[in-house]
Amino acid sequence: MLPAILGGGFRRRSFHVSSTIMSDTGQGPKPDRLKDFEERLGKSLESQRSKAGPDTQESAAAGLAFKAVTELLVGIVVGMGLGWMADKYFGTAPWIMLALMPLGFAAGVVNVMRLSKSKQAEDVLGGKGPVAPSVKDDDDED
């Protein structure tokens, strides 16, 4: 008698469990999980953007400054390296290197100026560059 009671209840429960599993595996109506994911992702991104504050701005400015210094130094090093190789080839020890060092410096300055006009610099500076100082014109006064 006891096995008949347990067996009957077990069958009903197994049917209920298997019907629940089948409805979750594609047999029943499916919720639009992709749309729900897009909504959650959008909310998460908005909260991350609102948290972005001065730390992000300061690190971007530091990165831009580091890039500018690197551009300047690379110009000098490349100019000196080419001059050193030319000196080795022609046997004119430091003269070509000393002549190409200012040219490398000039190339580095041009690269820094190009960097200051880039999109990254505009983002860091907020669309505003450094303000030029105003100088009073005193030629008209005697």
Side-chain angles (χ1 to χ4, degrees):
M1 183 158 155
L2 188 60
I5 294 173
L6 291 177
F10 179 73
R11 286 186 191 140
R12 285 186 208 130
R13 286 187 201 145
S14 65
F15 175 73
H16 177 68
V17 171
S18 64
S19 66
T20 304
I21 292 172
M22 289 179 73
S23 66
D24 289 344
T25 58
Q27 295 290 335
K30 294 169 51 175
D32 193 6
R33 293 179 3 188
L34 184 60
K35 187 174 183 178
D36 183 45
F37 175 72
E38 288 177 11
E39 291 172 5
R40 288 185 288 134
L41 181 62
K43 289 177 185 177
S44 176
L45 288 175
E46 286 300 321
S47 68
Q48 292 296 327
R49 287 184 191 135
S50 65
K51 290 179 185 177
D55 293 338
T56 305
Q57 192 71 8
E58 288 175 8
S59 64
L64 185 66
F66 183 74
K67 190 173 182 181
V69 169
T70 303
E71 291 280 346
L72 189 62
L73 289 177
V74 165
I76 295 170
V77 169
V78 167
M80 288 180 67
L82 290 174
W84 178 77
M85 288 188 326
D87 280 335
K88 285 287 189 183
Y89 184 75
F90 294 117
T92 57
W95 299 113
I96 297 175
M97 182 178 69
L98 290 175
L100 289 181
M101 187 173 61
L103 293 175
F105 179 75
V109 168
V110 168
N111 284 339
V112 169
M113 290 174 61
R114 187 179 303 144
L115 176 66
S116 70
K117 295 177 183 178
S118 71
K119 175 73 174 148
Q120 181 184 6
E122 286 180 15
D123 290 343
V124 170
L125 296 174
K128 300 177 183 175
V131 178
S134 63
V135 178
K136 185 177 179 182
D137 187 18
D138 60 348
D139 290 340
D140 295 334
E141 296 177 19
D142 287 329

